[in-house]
Amino acid sequence: GDLRILCNIDWYQSPLHIDPNAADYSEAQSLIEAGPEMRDQALPSCWWKLKATVEQVWAEMQVPGPVMDSAKAILFHAVTAQSYAQLLEYASKMLDYRAMTVSLVRRVELREEVWVDVHSCHAICVTDPRLGALDDHLRHLNDLTKSLTVDMEEWRTRFGRWFWSEARAASIISTLGTKEQAAAQQEAVPAFVWSGKEYSSKMGHDISILLSSDPASNLVKQRIVAARFAANDPLWGQAPPMWYDQDVAKVGITQLKRNPGPKVVKPLGPPKPKLIGYKKWAVPPPSGPPPIRQPATPR
């Protein structure tokens, strides 16, 4: 966990978090929509505008130095129609990366506020209107948790090279022992970090805190326990496949609890004697000839 925190960008109090509207990329968006076709006299000015846009996004998104140096060698070597087409494609991806990151930052900030509202909720009776607000907050918290889990996985897969510091990770791993290096390699992956915590793991921990906490109001505790949280799903911690549906999974689990399946047949032991009559047990016949009955002695 520490390696993910040290080698990824912490978006809390980052320039993108403090003021996501500080930069204006409308002109670059117009160039991207126009495409690579243009008159020769307009090529240099458009090329330099796109170059400035890419460098501005690099600075705002804190892209690692080695990643920028590698891109500069390919994109900035000459003002040509071919390099301009490459710049258009690259700038389009960078702006997509920025837009998705802004969306994640805003939803994470909103989720933190909702979680605080749920955790600090108090109610004194069943007609307390705060219980209705609590139900809304619980649903909103669950929806945000589900959407953030899926989108963070997509964001990490698509854009991880632009916020993951591979050089720093390699430097840290090289200082570890042989056994520690294998475990560190498992943690050496891109992740969304918020306020010093890997946020996908934090979302699951937040739900555990709510379920295990002891609020001042028993009514609040009952509503929290009865709520449905995505963190309790079987596929929590990874992006669910396209066929997975939470409601279908809940129904399946309920059916399995009601009908667990055929009972296990116990192995048979030694055969028991058969019951003859009402209260007499069968006795094996004596070996040898039958006994001779003696005549009764007269009195």
Side-chain angles (χ1 to χ4, degrees):
D2 292 340
L3 196 62
R4 296 185 186 184
I5 295 169
L6 292 173
C7 300
N8 285 289
I9 297 172
D10 192 332
W11 298 102
Y12 180 71
Q13 293 299 317
S14 66
L16 206 66
H17 177 214
I18 295 172
D19 189 3
N21 300 317
D24 181 17
Y25 298 104
S26 57
E27 188 174 12
Q29 290 284 9
S30 300
L31 292 175
I32 293 170
E33 292 172 2
E37 300 297 331
M38 63 176 62
R39 296 181 179 179
D40 293 340
Q41 58 268 26
L43 176 63
S45 62
C46 294
W47 190 93
W48 285 103
K49 289 176 182 177
L50 271 186
K51 177 178 180 294
T53 297
V54 169
E55 291 175 336
Q56 187 176 4
V57 177
W58 279 347
E60 186 182 28
M61 304 298 290
Q62 307 173 60
V63 175
V67 177
M68 292 190 293
D69 294 338
S70 176
K72 288 176 182 177
I74 299 173
L75 301 173
F76 298 166
H77 64 282
V79 182
T80 62
Q82 182 180 1
S83 67
Y84 180 71
Q86 292 174 331
L87 260 178
L88 278 175
E89 183 179 1
Y90 189 86
S92 176
K93 291 179 181 179
M94 287 297 301
L95 291 178
D96 287 345
Y97 164 49
R98 182 187 183 277
M100 193 168 187
T101 308
V102 169
S103 174
L104 290 176
V105 167
R106 287 174 173 169
R107 282 184 287 161
V108 166
E109 192 173 21
L110 177 60
R111 185 188 178 277
E112 290 293 296
E113 295 175 359
V114 174
W115 187 87
V116 170
D117 290 339
V118 171
H119 193 253
S120 60
C121 183
H122 180 72
I124 58 176
C125 63
V126 293
T127 58
D128 196 320
R130 288 175 291 187
L131 289 176
L134 174 63
D135 291 338
D136 293 338
H137 289 325
L138 288 170
R139 284 191 292 268
H140 198 188
L141 180 65
N142 184 55
D143 292 342
L144 286 169
T145 301
K146 288 193 299 183
S147 65
L148 283 170
T149 300
V150 176
D151 291 347
M152 282 181 179
E153 180 66 20
E154 179 187 354
W155 175 81
R156 182 184 72 84
T157 304
R158 290 179 59 190
F159 307 118
R161 65 188 183 278
W162 286 329
F163 59 84
W164 163 255
S165 180
E166 188 174 354
R168 185 184 300 175
S171 176
I172 295 174
I173 292 174
S174 65
T175 62
L176 303 176
T178 305
K179 294 182 179 179
E180 290 81 3
Q181 285 184 359
Q185 290 288 351
Q186 300 292 328
E187 297 183 0
V189 293
F192 189 94
V193 177
W194 184 264
S195 190
K197 296 179 181 179
E198 197 270 307
Y199 203 74
S200 293
S201 300
K202 182 183 182 299
M203 287 191 289
H205 185 62
D206 287 346
I207 303 303
S208 299
I209 291 176
L210 287 178
L211 294 174
S212 61
S213 62
D214 190 14
S217 172
N218 289 330
L219 295 171
V220 172
K221 180 68 173 180
Q222 292 172 4
R223 296 297 179 98
I224 292 176
V225 172
R228 299 171 59 181
F229 292 112
N232 295 331
D233 283 0
L235 296 176
W236 172 253
Q238 57 183 333
M242 296 298 294
W243 50 262
Y244 175 72
D245 184 88
Q246 180 186 10
D247 295 329
V248 175
K250 293 288 185 183
V251 172
I253 293 171
T254 303
Q255 291 297 326
L256 287 174
K257 288 180 178 179
R258 292 178 180 174
N259 216 352
K263 296 182 179 179
V264 178
V265 179
K266 296 182 179 179
L268 296 175
K272 295 181 180 180
K274 295 182 179 180
L275 186 64
I276 298 177
Y278 183 62
K279 291 185 178 179
K280 295 181 180 180
W281 292 91
V283 179
S287 58
I292 300 174
R293 284 179 160 236
Q294 298 294 332
T297 304
R299 295 183 182 180

